[in-house]
Amino acid sequence: MDRTTEPRYTSMAIVLHWALAVAILSAFSVGVYLDDQPFSPAKLKLINWHKWAGVAILFLSVLRLVWRITHRPPVLPGRIQQLMPRWQHLAHHGTHHLMYLLFLAVPLLGWAYSSAKGFPIVWFGVLPLPDWVAPNPDLAEVLKEAHGLAAFALIGLVVLHVGAVIKHQFIDKDGLLDRMRFKR
């Protein structure tokens, strides 16, 4: 079957998918790296970069959600739907819904943590963002933990998502990945 005739995601959906993927993996990597670093000017710069990336991720996530709501994704090709067990359909939808939730929750928790810690976010050093909560050291610790747990949960779902893509691409060889690739 000619895979170019299969339903594909829109170009905007593809761009948002890959931009968000790169941004999330980058911000997560920096966040994990920062956790073990002693306080220094270099760490402070990376903390600010991590915050800026978080705000960008939040913006991209809202944009992606709006796009997703206003542009239905392509249905799974019939042959894949027929071969996929019910539990995989449920996992497919559940994973996507949880990822969308965490796309928003992780940066919002980080923003709230920064506010509770008493460190405002000035996006790219230019645009001051409002604090979500008043400074509160006890709340800051709870929010820091929640932000970290949510970030690791998101990465766990990303790993599950990538594992499913690998299965479809190399085991099932059903071309499902072609729907999210840029056209050549």
Side-chain angles (χ1 to χ4, degrees):
M1 174 179 262
D2 180 13
R3 291 190 179 141
T4 60
T5 62
E6 302 242 348
R8 294 178 46 82
Y9 283 88
T10 63
S11 295
M12 178 60 84
I14 293 169
V15 167
L16 290 171
H17 174 274
W18 291 110
L20 201 51
V22 169
I24 287 169
L25 292 174
S26 299
F28 179 79
S29 298
V30 169
V32 168
Y33 173 78
L34 282 170
D35 213 30
D36 293 333
Q37 299 304 307
F39 189 78
S40 69
K43 181 175 182 172
L44 195 55
K45 285 181 184 179
L46 284 175
I47 289 170
N48 281 322
W49 182 91
H50 182 75
K51 290 179 184 184
W52 299 342
V55 173
I57 289 167
L58 182 60
F59 174 75
L60 285 172
S61 297
V62 169
L63 185 59
R64 185 172 179 188
L65 182 60
V66 168
W67 188 263
R68 171 70 170 72
I69 289 169
T70 60
H71 297 79
R72 300 282 306 162
V75 296
L76 287 172
R79 69 186 189 292
I80 294 174
Q81 286 188 39
Q82 291 170 351
L83 295 174
M84 190 183 291
R86 178 164 167 69
W87 72 266
Q88 285 182 7
H89 280 285
L90 293 172
H92 163 77
H93 291 293
T95 299
H96 281 90
H97 287 101
L98 285 171
M99 281 196 297
Y100 273 96
L101 174 69
L102 291 171
F103 289 161
L104 301 169
V106 172
L108 288 173
L109 286 166
W111 188 348
Y113 162 61
S114 188
S115 296
K117 194 75 173 164
F119 298 118
I121 298 174
V122 182
W123 201 30
F124 295 110
V126 177
L127 180 63
L129 302 178
D131 288 330
W132 282 62
V133 296
N136 180 328
D138 294 332
L139 179 60
E141 286 307 308
V142 170
L143 290 168
K144 179 181 181 181
E145 188 73 20
H147 175 64
L149 289 172
F152 274 97
L154 177 56
I155 293 302
L157 290 172
V158 167
V159 167
L160 182 64
H161 179 70
V162 170
V165 168
I166 290 169
K167 175 202 174 280
H168 279 281
Q169 187 67 20
F170 297 108
I171 296 172
D172 298 344
K173 297 180 182 177
D174 56 21
L176 195 62
L177 177 60
D178 292 338
R179 297 166 7 123
M180 191 51 81
R181 283 186 180 170
F182 292 103
K183 288 184 181 178
R184 293 182 186 163

